Amino acid sequence: MPLTLYDTVHSVYARRVRLLAAELDIPITRVSLDYGKGDMKTPAYLAKNPGARVPALEDGDFMVWESLAILNYLASLRPERGMSPDNAKARAVIDQWAAFWLCQPAAAIGALAQEKIVKPMRGQPSHNETIVAGAEAMLARDLPVIEGQLAGRDYLLGDLGVIDFLMAPQMEALPRLDIDLAAYPNIAAWLTRISAKPYWATA
């Protein structure tokens, strides 16, 4: 029975889930919600995800929300792929990179996207230079960490894993946010490598 994914077309967080599901050949049925119509505020959806956001994944009578939790759950459904290790040290390394990503670079990319893409698209006032400068400073500090980690590796932890699907969909936006990837050749090569997956453009 296919899993049900509640998402929106433009959610990078939901796209993480769709991409990993495609990589693991896990069938999902998508239910697209509309922010503008208040689909995420309905009692029916709030019963599934009280955070009123996407993505949320339904597997029979089991619900899980937040993209990282969903990625880990999907990985656990395909243990033979090795993306959900039961080794405590390997799991700690995955958790370490996930925490680093979500608390620092992802937050900076999100702030830049809001200021440089979302606000202009909505016709809102020009972006806040203080926010932009702070986010750019955070990325200037943290992207070299990822660049160094990718030295000599095809993927973040060597083999393709959950952490790549957590990071790559947001990292693709860096050129649109005026972050020059020429300064980060390992990151650029990694993005080229993962985006060459046959499902990447359509998931």
Side-chain angles (χ1 to χ4, degrees):
M1 179 179 176
L3 310 182
T4 299
L5 176 68
Y6 297 87
D7 70 359
T8 65
V9 174
H10 301 296
S11 170
V12 69
Y13 310 107
R15 186 162 182 262
R16 292 168 173 165
V17 175
R18 297 195 301 268
L19 289 167
L20 183 58
E23 170 67 27
L24 296 176
D25 197 25
I26 296 175
I28 57 172
T29 298
R30 292 176 59 189
V31 176
S32 291
L33 305 179
D34 189 322
Y35 281 109
K37 293 180 180 177
D39 290 349
M40 289 165 226
K41 298 290 188 179
T42 65
Y45 187 69
L46 289 172
K48 298 177 185 298
N49 181 358
R53 297 177 182 175
V54 294
L57 186 77
E58 190 171 34
D59 184 4
D61 60 359
F62 175 68
M63 286 293 310
V64 59
W65 36 275
E66 292 296 330
S67 59
L68 176 58
I70 298 172
L71 294 179
N72 284 328
Y73 180 68
L74 292 180
S76 75
L77 299 179
R78 294 287 188 271
E80 70 280 3
R81 293 294 301 273
M83 290 190 184
S84 182
D86 54 12
N87 176 283
K89 291 180 180 178
R91 170 64 65 184
V93 170
I94 294 171
D95 291 345
Q96 161 192 281
W97 281 99
F100 166 79
W101 173 254
L102 293 172
C103 293
Q104 296 172 199
I109 291 172
L112 284 181
Q114 180 70 21
E115 295 300 318
K116 293 190 171 188
I117 297 174
V118 176
K119 281 186 176 180
M121 187 171 61
R122 292 176 176 171
Q124 294 176 343
S126 59
H127 60 247
N128 184 311
E129 292 295 344
T130 301
I131 293 175
V132 169
E136 289 177 343
M138 184 178 288
L139 288 175
R141 182 192 67 198
D142 292 336
L143 288 181
V145 176
I146 299 170
E147 176 74 6
Q149 175 65 16
L150 282 165
R153 295 182 176 90
D154 285 343
Y155 300 103
L156 261 295
L157 298 179
D159 295 327
L160 183 65
V162 164
I163 201 69
D164 299 286
F165 290 89
L166 184 71
M167 292 187 183
Q170 271 183 294
M171 295 272 266
E172 284 184 310
L174 289 174
R176 293 179 64 196
L177 301 174
D178 304 317
I179 304 298
D180 187 2
L181 288 181
Y184 306 105
N186 295 333
I187 291 176
W190 164 69
L191 286 172
T192 298
R193 190 175 301 115
I194 196 168
S195 65
K197 298 282 185 181
Y199 53 77
W200 197 264
T202 56

